[in-house]
Amino acid sequence: MTNPARLQNRTAFLENIAKVLDRPRRTQAPVRPALKYRCHQEVMAGWSPDQLRDRLVDYTENALGAKAIVTTKAQLSRVLSEACLAYQQNTLSDDGKDVVLSADVRLQAGIDINQLTQAGLSLYVWDSSLGYDANIRACERAKVGVVFAEQALAESGTMVLYSQVEQGRVISLLPEASVFIVPKSAIVPRLTQATAVLTEKAKAGKRMPSCINFISGPSSTADIELIKVVGVHGPIFATYIILDDQ
Amino acid sequence: MSMKTSHATFKERIDIQMQDDYMRQSVANAQERMFTNRAKAAEALGNWEQWREMGKEIRQHVLENLDYYLEQLSDKVVENGGNVFFASTAEEARGYIEGVLKEKKAKKIVKSKSMVTEEIDLNKAIIGLGCEVIETDLGEYILQVDDCDPPSHIVVPALHKNRTQIRDIFKEKVGYQGTNDPEEMTRFVRQHIRHDFLEADIGITGCNFAVAETGTVSLVTNEGNARLATSLPKTHIAVMGMERLVPTFEELDIVVSLLCRSAVGLPLTGYVTALTGPRESDQCDGPEEFHLVIVDNGRSAILGSEFKDILRCIRCAACVNTCPAYRHIGGQSYGSIYSGPVGAVLSPLLGGYEDFKELPYACSLCQSCNDVCPVKIPLSDLLLKHRRVMAESKLTPLGERAAAGFFNFVNARPALWGKTVKAGAKVANATIKDGKMPFNVGPLKDWTDSRDLPQPDGESFRSWFKNRQQTKGDQQKNEAGDHHD
Ligand code: SF4
C-alpha cells in the first residue's frame, strides 16, 4: 500500500478538533509540562538491591500466586530443570512434554543445555528462522516456556519482556507454565523505572520493540462472581528465578 | 451492541432489574469489594491526591493539544509500518474495518474486550460480512454466548450473572458438562476457544492508552486473551477513542498506575502490553499488518462543550463501584454500554438525550464519584449540567423539569451543597425525606420509592459505606478483573 492509503481522513479530522478547541490547528510540539509531583519516583527510592529482591519475592508469592526462587548463576541449570520438571508432573493435560527455551543470549549463556536434557527434559529452542508455524506449534505443545526478563518491578511482581528475534511473544503465552529468569541487578522499584528506559529509547530516536509486556504472575480473571481464578487464556503457572549475582 | 442496549423504557428496565434479587445482591457485594480494594490500593501507594492531580493534568494537557498529539501518534504509527484511519463517525469506522476484513478475506475474528467497538456496533457489521467473531474476554464471552446479553459493568461485564446461570448458559449453548465451579468453567472456556485464536485471521482490540511519541498502543488486561489476539493472527486492528492517549511513556506510567489501582486495586494488572506497529520483519510471531482506527463519534462535540472534562476518563469504573444509584438499579438499567456515573454523563452525550434523558437523574447527589475518580472528573457537576441543559431545552417531561429546576436552585447556591462529600450528603439529606426524594420524578421515583437510599443521617454515602464495611469483615482478597477499552 502507498503512504496516502496508510493514513486516511486525517486533515479534516484534526481541523475539526482545532475548530472545537477554538484555535488554529496546532502543528508544533506543545511544551509538555513536567509532572507536578515526584511521588512516583519516591516509591522504594533508595532501597538496596536485596530489599527490592525481597519485596519482589514477597509480593510474587503472596499476592500473585506465583513462585519466586532466588539462586545463583552456578545453580541456574539445576534450579531451572527442577522448576520445569515440577510443571511437567503437575500440569493438566498429557500431550506435549517439551520445554520451549528462549534463544536470548543471556539465557543461553547462563544454562547448560546438557544438564537440562539429562534431567529428562525435551527442549525446543526458539528459532525465528524456522518461521511462524514451527515456533507456534512448539509453544502450543510445550508445558513450559522459559524467557529472560529485561527488568523486574518489585512493587507489582512484574517481569518486563521485549519481543525480539531470539525471544518471541508466545513463549510466555502459549505454554501452561512460564518461567522467567531475571538478574537481581535488573530489579527496579516500579513501572516508573521501566517506562524511563523506554522514554530514553524514544528520545534516542529508536523504534520501540513491537511488543513490550509487563507480566505480573499467571493469567487470571474475576469475571465470574468476582472470584479470582488463576489461569485463563494465558499461562496457568508462573515461576520467577532471580539470579542473585551481586 | 451499540451504545443503546435496550428498547425498553428506563422504568421498564428498572422494574425488570429490581425483580432480580441475585443481581441486586451481587452488585452490592461486588461494589463493596471493589470499593475496598481500590481504597486499600490507593492508601498503600500513598500520596494518592498527588497521583490524582498528576492524572488530571496529564489528561487535561492531552485534550488541550489533542490535534497535535494525534498527528504525532499517527505519523509514528505509519513510520513504524502501520496504517491509521481517522473515523469521524461509527459508520466510517465500521466501513474501514469491513474493508480490511474483505481485503484479507477474513473468516474468523478474535476480539478482546473493547468498549469503543461496542459503541460503534462493530460485531454486527462483522457478522454481516459473513465472518465469525469471538469475544474472548471471559465476561464478554459469557454475554456473547448468552445471545448478546448487555454488559452491566464497564470492567466486569457479566457481573449480573451468578455461577449457576453461567453454567446453564454454557450447558445450553456450548455443550458444557461440568459444575458451576468458576475455575472449572474458566478452564473450559480456555480449552474451548484456544483453537479460535490459532485459526483467526484478524485480532481486534481496543486501546487503553496510546503513546503519541512512539506510536504505541497499550492494553491493560488480565486474562491473556488480548496477548493471544495480538500475537497469533496475521492482522491486528486496534480501535481507540480519539482522546485515549498520552504524550510519552513517562505519562503512561502515571495513568496506567492510576487505572490499575482504581479498577482492580492492584499495582498492575496481570498484563500491561505495549504494542508498536506490526512485528519487525525479522521476527516470526505478532501481526504482519497493523491498523489503528481513531474514533471521534461525538467526542469532538464533547471537547467543544461544557462537558469536556468527561473526556479525561480512563474507564476505571471507580465511580461505578461507589455509586449508590448503580447499586440500587444495576448496570443494565442504564440501557447503555456505559453505566454508573460515567455512563450517566457519557451516554446522553454520545447517544443523545432522546434515548438517555433519564440517566442524569439516576444520582443521589452524594458526590462520592467525584471523590474516587482518579482523574478528578467532577461527575456529579456534569450530571447537574445535563439536567440543566435538558430543562432549558425543555427536552424533559414536565415532572422532570420541575426536578431539574430544583437542582438548578441548589446548583446556583454552592453554599448549599459545598465541595465535600460531607456537604454533599447534607444536600442529599435535604432532598431525601424518609429515604425518599421529596419530588416525584417519573422513573426516578420508582427506584427511590422501592429502594431506600442510604439513610440521610448527615453521613456521607462513603462513611455510611465504611461503617457497613466494618461490620462486614474482611472477605475479599485479590480480586482482579479485566478492564480494557
Ligand atoms: S469517570 Fe473517573 S472514576 Fe469513572 S470510570 Fe472514568 S476515570 Fe474512572
Side-chain angles (χ1 to χ4, degrees):
Chain A
M1 274 193 271
T2 54
N3 243 24
R6 289 180 45 201
L7 188 55
Q8 293 178 42
N9 281 2
R10 182 166 80 171
T11 309
F13 192 100
L14 298 185
E15 291 291 348
N16 180 50
I17 290 176
K19 196 177 106 207
V20 297
L21 289 171
D22 204 17
R23 56 161 176 71
R25 171 117 169 247
R26 196 153 284 170
T27 50
Q28 297 298 309
V31 179
R32 195 166 60 90
L35 295 179
K36 195 163 171 181
Y37 299 107
R38 291 187 41 81
C39 45
H40 55 305
Q41 306 277 4
E42 283 156 13
V43 177
M44 294 178 234
W47 284 31
S48 71
D50 283 355
Q51 283 175 306
L52 291 172
R53 174 203 60 205
D54 291 348
R55 166 65 203 238
L56 175 68
V57 170
D58 181 60
Y59 189 85
T60 301
E61 301 238 305
N62 294 314
L64 295 180
K67 262 194 255 174
I69 303 169
V70 179
T71 187
T72 58
K73 277 181 184 162
Q75 297 297 316
L76 177 59
S77 297
R78 181 183 59 79
V79 168
L80 180 59
S81 308
E82 285 168 10
C84 293
L85 284 168
Y87 286 131
Q88 265 200 322
Q89 283 149 20
N90 292 342
T91 44
L92 303 171
S93 54
D94 296 325
D95 53 330
K97 290 276 182 211
D98 296 321
V99 173
V100 173
L101 287 174
S102 155
D104 185 297
V105 285
R106 295 162 296 183
L107 174 69
Q108 292 296 327
I111 55 169
D112 176 358
I113 297 268
N114 285 336
Q115 206 177 326
L116 267 70
T117 26
Q118 276 159 23
L121 294 163
S122 57
L123 306 175
Y124 175 88
V125 178
W126 182 264
D127 184 351
S128 281
S129 69
L130 298 179
Y132 177 90
D133 288 341
N135 285 290
I136 298 292
R137 207 177 309 122
C139 287
E140 206 203 328
R141 288 176 54 237
K143 294 281 192 197
V144 189
V146 183
V147 290
F148 196 88
E150 304 297 323
Q151 284 174 310
L153 316 183
E155 182 194 42
S156 49
T158 304
M159 293 289 145
V160 184
L161 300 183
Y162 296 168
S163 63
Q164 38 161 321
V165 183
E166 297 81 19
Q167 184 169 291
R169 307 174 184 207
V170 296
I171 307 175
S172 63
L173 183 58
L174 287 173
E176 283 176 354
S178 286
V179 176
F180 301 81
I181 297 167
V182 70
K184 184 172 72 175
S185 55
I187 306 173
V188 295
R190 71 182 312 282
L191 186 58
T192 306
Q193 288 75 25
T195 53
V197 173
L198 299 170
T199 304
E200 255 168 51
K201 248 188 217 292
K203 296 273 175 288
K206 291 197 184 113
R207 186 206 202 274
M208 290 296 114
S210 61
C211 179
I212 300 166
N213 265 302
F214 301 90
I215 302 176
S216 310
S219 66
S220 72
T221 187
D223 274 354
I224 302 176
E225 292 189 13
L226 276 194
I227 292 162
K228 180 164 175 169
V229 173
V230 174
V232 196
H233 300 295
I236 303 172
F237 310 99
T239 292
Y240 298 168
I241 299 178
I242 300 158
L243 294 175
D244 210 341
D245 53 353
Q246 290 166 333
Chain B
M1 204 160 301
S2 57
M3 276 293 300
K4 191 174 166 180
T5 60
S6 166
H7 290 289
T9 66
F10 187 55
K11 180 182 179 317
E12 287 162 356
R13 292 197 301 265
I14 288 178
D15 284 346
I16 295 165
Q17 295 298 312
M18 281 303 179
Q19 284 159 15
D20 186 345
D21 280 344
Y22 171 76
M23 183 285 296
R24 295 191 54 247
Q25 195 48 49
S26 107
V27 166
N29 291 343
Q31 268 199 323
E32 287 190 13
R33 293 158 72 177
M34 294 192 281
F35 181 94
T36 313
N37 288 346
R38 186 208 63 86
K40 278 187 190 157
E43 200 184 307
L45 184 58
N47 300 307
W48 187 245
E49 281 312 302
Q50 293 186 0
W51 282 88
R52 290 177 74 210
E53 191 60 33
M54 288 201 287
K56 174 186 168 177
E57 290 196 352
I58 289 166
R59 299 292 297 132
Q60 200 68 38
H61 172 74
V62 167
L63 293 176
E64 279 160 15
N65 299 283
L66 192 58
D67 46 351
Y68 175 78
Y69 286 120
L70 284 175
E71 180 168 3
Q72 189 186 25
L73 172 71
S74 50
D75 278 344
K76 221 49 203 182
V77 171
V78 170
E79 193 184 310
N80 292 330
N83 307 274
V84 184
F85 182 80
F86 285 86
S88 302
T89 62
E91 199 180 356
E92 281 180 20
R94 287 193 305 264
Y96 179 77
I97 295 167
E98 284 169 358
V100 175
L101 263 56
K102 282 186 205 153
E103 194 198 308
K104 297 284 139 198
K105 301 192 170 55
K107 292 197 175 58
K108 186 176 275 199
I109 288 94
V110 282
K111 270 183 77 197
S112 78
K113 181 167 177 283
S114 150
M115 300 297 291
V116 69
T117 59
E118 295 283 338
E119 187 188 308
I120 63 171
D121 213 357
L122 184 58
N123 286 5
K124 207 155 95 193
I126 296 174
I127 293 164
L129 288 179
C131 302
E132 187 187 355
V133 55
I134 299 110
E135 290 287 352
T136 61
D137 171 83
L138 180 61
E140 296 283 350
Y141 179 77
I142 293 166
L143 298 181
Q144 189 186 31
V145 167
D146 189 23
D147 303 325
C148 300
D149 192 31
S152 59
H153 189 279
I154 61 173
V155 171
V156 194
L159 187 64
H160 57 290
K161 292 193 188 301
N162 67 24
R163 61 180 82 187
T164 305
Q165 292 168 323
I166 294 167
R167 194 234 11 234
D168 293 346
I169 293 163
F170 282 177
K171 201 168 161 182
E172 189 194 336
K173 307 279 185 183
V174 287
Y176 175 66
Q177 303 282 331
T179 69
N180 67 358
D181 175 51
E183 183 166 325
E184 191 182 348
M185 292 193 284
T186 302
R187 289 286 195 280
F188 168 79
V189 176
R190 174 190 167 93
Q191 308 280 347
H192 194 71
I193 66 171
R194 175 57 68 100
H195 72 99
D196 290 320
F197 289 110
L198 292 158
E199 292 159 9
D201 307 290
I202 294 181
I204 299 182
T205 68
C207 165
N208 286 94
F209 303 103
V211 180
E213 186 180 44
T214 56
T216 301
V217 162
S218 71
L219 298 169
V220 178
T221 69
N222 273 312
E223 296 182 358
N225 57 324
R227 288 187 63 200
L228 287 166
T230 57
S231 296
L232 296 173
K234 297 252 182 290
T235 302
H236 172 205
I237 303 174
V239 188
M240 67 179 268
M242 70 174 198
E243 80 286 12
R244 304 298 295 278
L245 75 167
V246 292
T248 74
F249 269 92
E250 191 182 1
E251 290 88 0
L252 185 72
D253 169 30
I254 308 299
V255 292
V256 165
S257 300
L258 284 166
L259 173 59
C260 295
R261 287 192 189 251
S262 299
V264 291
L266 294 170
L268 287 183
T269 57
Y271 300 111
V272 175
T273 306
L275 299 159
T276 304
R279 74 180 187 221
E280 295 86 342
S281 54
D282 55 357
Q283 295 185 12
C284 72
D285 60 348
E288 286 164 4
E289 204 171 300
F290 172 68
H291 298 262
L292 179 62
V293 180
I294 301 174
V295 179
D296 182 328
N297 196 33
R299 287 165 173 77
S300 56
I302 303 174
L303 187 63
S305 79
E306 57 183 327
F307 294 97
K308 63 173 180 296
D309 289 346
I310 195 62
L311 294 177
R312 293 207 294 268
C313 177
I314 61 174
R315 304 286 193 275
C316 70
C319 59
V320 182
N321 296 338
T322 196
C323 177
Y326 177 89
R327 179 187 184 86
H328 285 278
I329 64 178
Q332 288 186 336
S333 292
Y334 289 78
S336 163
I337 55 165
Y338 300 110
S339 55
V342 57
V345 174
L346 207 51
S347 308
L349 295 169
L350 294 177
Y353 284 117
E354 189 51 48
D355 283 337
F356 299 108
K357 59 182 175 298
E358 294 93 352
L359 300 195
Y361 295 94
C363 167
S364 72
L365 300 179
C366 76
Q367 297 190 333
S368 174
C369 48
N370 297 4
D371 275 9
V372 296
C373 178
V375 286
K376 295 190 155 186
I377 298 172
L379 289 151
S380 62
D381 304 37
L382 296 178
L383 289 170
L384 284 169
K385 276 188 182 146
H386 270 317
R387 292 170 179 180
R388 200 193 62 230
V389 169
M390 286 191 286
E392 277 168 13
S393 58
K394 308 216 183 324
L395 263 165
T396 47
L398 209 60
E400 286 165 325
R401 278 216 300 283
F406 166 79
F407 287 111
N408 270 342
F409 175 81
V410 178
N411 203 26
R413 290 163 184 76
L416 270 182
W417 90 313
K419 288 264 174 257
T420 66
V421 174
K422 203 79 184 161
K426 284 197 188 109
V427 175
N429 206 354
T431 58
I432 302 168
K433 291 208 179 87
D434 309 321
K436 294 180 171 56
M437 294 288 187
F439 47 83
N440 292 336
V441 199
L444 182 68
K445 177 179 173 296
D446 287 305
W447 71 267
T448 55
D449 262 1
S450 53
R451 307 295 160 187
D452 50 329
L453 286 162
Q455 274 308 305
D457 57 0
E459 265 187 317
S460 70
F461 174 73
R462 234 164 57 140
S463 44
W464 168 83
F465 203 96
K466 211 169 174 180
N467 290 339
R468 265 182 67 93
Q469 275 300 103
Q470 278 157 2
T471 58
K472 277 260 172 181
D474 188 14
Q475 46 161 244
Q476 65 290 315
K477 259 189 197 155
N478 284 330
E479 274 81 30
D482 261 13
H483 53 284
H484 334 204
D485 185 347

